Amino acid sequence: MSSSMMLVDGLKRELKARGITYAELARRIGMSEASVKRMFAQRSFTLQRLDEVLAAAGLELLDLTRSALEAPRLIAQLSYAQEEELIGDPKLLLVAVAALNGVPVDELVAMFALTEAETVKYLLRLDKIGFLVLKPNNRVKLLVARTFDWIPDGPIQTWFRREAAADYLDAHFDGEGEMLRLVSVMLSPASTVALLERLRQVADDFSQQHQADARLPYEARQSMTFLLAARPWMPEAFAALRRELNAPGQAAREPGGKPDGGITGAVRPAPAAAPRHPASSSARRSSR
């Protein structure tokens, strides 16, 4: 994590500890709440603006720096071996995903074929690898960053594509809390870069909403899996009708010489401990 990211994350913690909301901060520094949220989301502060925020919060830069340095180091990604360990034991993966989604131990035991002793055993394994801290009364403190993600094309994402993707998409997406959009477009390289950045921001917003709702009682929430995907792609049925074939290994292209693009967005309620990041991270770069 960069120094600037550490400072901004430390500033967010200090504001929360002081009970200063984005709306209140915006009022104090003469900005709109939307602009303040964007400033924190993009981690984009001028020195003057940082001074204004520190003054509004009653903070000194030295105190903020000390807070950032003393904060626990949150992991943004597991190692390849750790993902393999998770995927090698379905119960361990279930407990890990349940912890990410804030599912209490008693609810997990009530829903799945797990005993409390088994669940605690798996939580201790996750504690050992630095994924979380198991506290008294089986409470859990996650040690993963808000931007935590599975390894691109790693064991978890491979498992999702092989075992879960077809099951996830096997729905009409017309029920309450469901939506599917499939859009095929032609974009310039610059527009493609801009689109991917917007999709990353959507995934990040989704993750932030997950963290905000984590304060609600468990029974007030439901599991939701959010899938984003975008890549140059042409359906095989279309490719079979092309007059000219590309050289082996090249992406299928439209007659005009430009790659066909595909963008998919889907959101669907899922079982209470359904994997969150395997679904959301296939957008490349969130669900409860």
Side-chain angles (χ1 to χ4, degrees):
M1 182 182 293
S2 69
S3 298
S4 60
M5 291 175 65
M6 289 173 59
L7 282 175
V8 174
D9 287 347
L11 181 54
K12 290 164 70 174
R13 285 193 301 272
E14 292 297 329
L15 290 173
K16 182 178 180 180
R18 287 164 169 75
I20 302 175
T21 64
Y22 284 150
E24 174 60 20
L25 179 62
R27 186 190 66 79
R28 294 185 186 184
I29 63 177
M31 293 179 66
S32 69
E33 182 179 357
S35 296
V36 169
K37 287 182 177 179
R38 183 166 56 251
M39 181 172 66
F40 276 89
Q42 297 176 350
R43 295 182 171 86
S44 177
F45 287 75
T46 64
L47 290 177
Q48 179 181 350
R49 187 65 73 188
L50 179 60
D51 282 341
E52 292 173 355
V53 172
L54 290 174
L59 273 169
E60 296 290 339
L61 181 59
L62 182 60
D63 296 330
L64 175 60
T65 304
R66 185 180 297 113
S67 173
L69 291 174
E70 292 175 351
R73 295 293 181 264
L74 302 181
I75 59 174
Q77 211 166 60
L78 295 177
S79 69
Y80 195 94
Q82 287 169 338
E83 283 201 7
E84 283 191 318
E85 182 180 356
L86 289 184
I87 213 65
D89 188 334
K91 288 186 176 181
L92 179 61
L93 178 60
L94 171 63
V95 172
V97 172
L100 280 173
N101 288 325
V103 180
V105 170
D106 56 344
E107 294 288 348
L108 187 61
V109 170
M111 285 187 295
F112 296 96
L114 285 168
T115 66
E116 182 177 346
E118 281 182 302
T119 304
V120 170
K121 178 185 71 174
Y122 289 122
L123 288 172
L124 286 171
R125 284 176 64 180
L126 295 170
D127 185 308
K128 185 176 181 180
I129 67 176
F131 189 83
L132 53 78
V133 174
L134 181 59
K135 305 178 79 172
N137 300 318
N138 293 335
R139 292 181 297 111
V140 167
K141 177 180 175 60
L142 289 173
L143 294 180
V144 298
R146 178 176 55 80
T147 54
F148 177 81
D149 206 356
W150 304 116
I151 299 171
D153 207 28
I156 298 291
Q157 285 199 6
T158 299
W159 170 84
F160 176 77
R161 288 195 300 270
R162 185 183 67 243
E163 304 288 344
D167 178 52
Y168 173 76
L169 292 171
D170 185 20
H172 295 293
F173 289 92
D174 57 359
E176 184 178 356
E178 297 184 352
M179 184 184 74
L180 174 66
R181 294 290 182 271
L182 176 62
V183 183
S184 183
V185 296
M186 308 268 300
L187 297 177
S188 68
S191 294
T192 299
V193 170
L195 172 66
L196 293 179
E197 184 55 40
R198 287 175 63 187
L199 293 179
R200 291 186 185 96
Q201 185 60 53
V202 169
D204 193 49
D205 291 345
F206 194 66
S207 180
Q208 289 187 48
Q209 190 62 58
H210 162 71
Q211 291 209 338
D213 285 357
R215 305 185 186 99
L216 299 175
Y218 173 74
E219 57 273 11
R221 299 174 288 148
Q222 67 171 346
S223 184
M224 185 72 73
T225 297
F226 181 57
L227 172 68
L228 285 174
R231 73 180 179 97
W233 174 70
M234 177 184 290
E236 290 184 3
F238 292 179
L241 297 174
R242 293 188 311 128
R243 294 183 182 277
E244 296 181 4
L245 296 178
N246 294 315
Q250 290 184 346
R253 302 176 77 84
E254 283 290 310
K258 299 178 181 179
D260 186 30
I263 305 168
T264 299
V267 59
R268 177 187 177 192
R276 173 165 62 114
H277 293 279
S280 63
S281 60
S282 63
R284 251 348 286 155
R285 114 131 142 119
S286 112
S287 122
R288 254 173 82 296

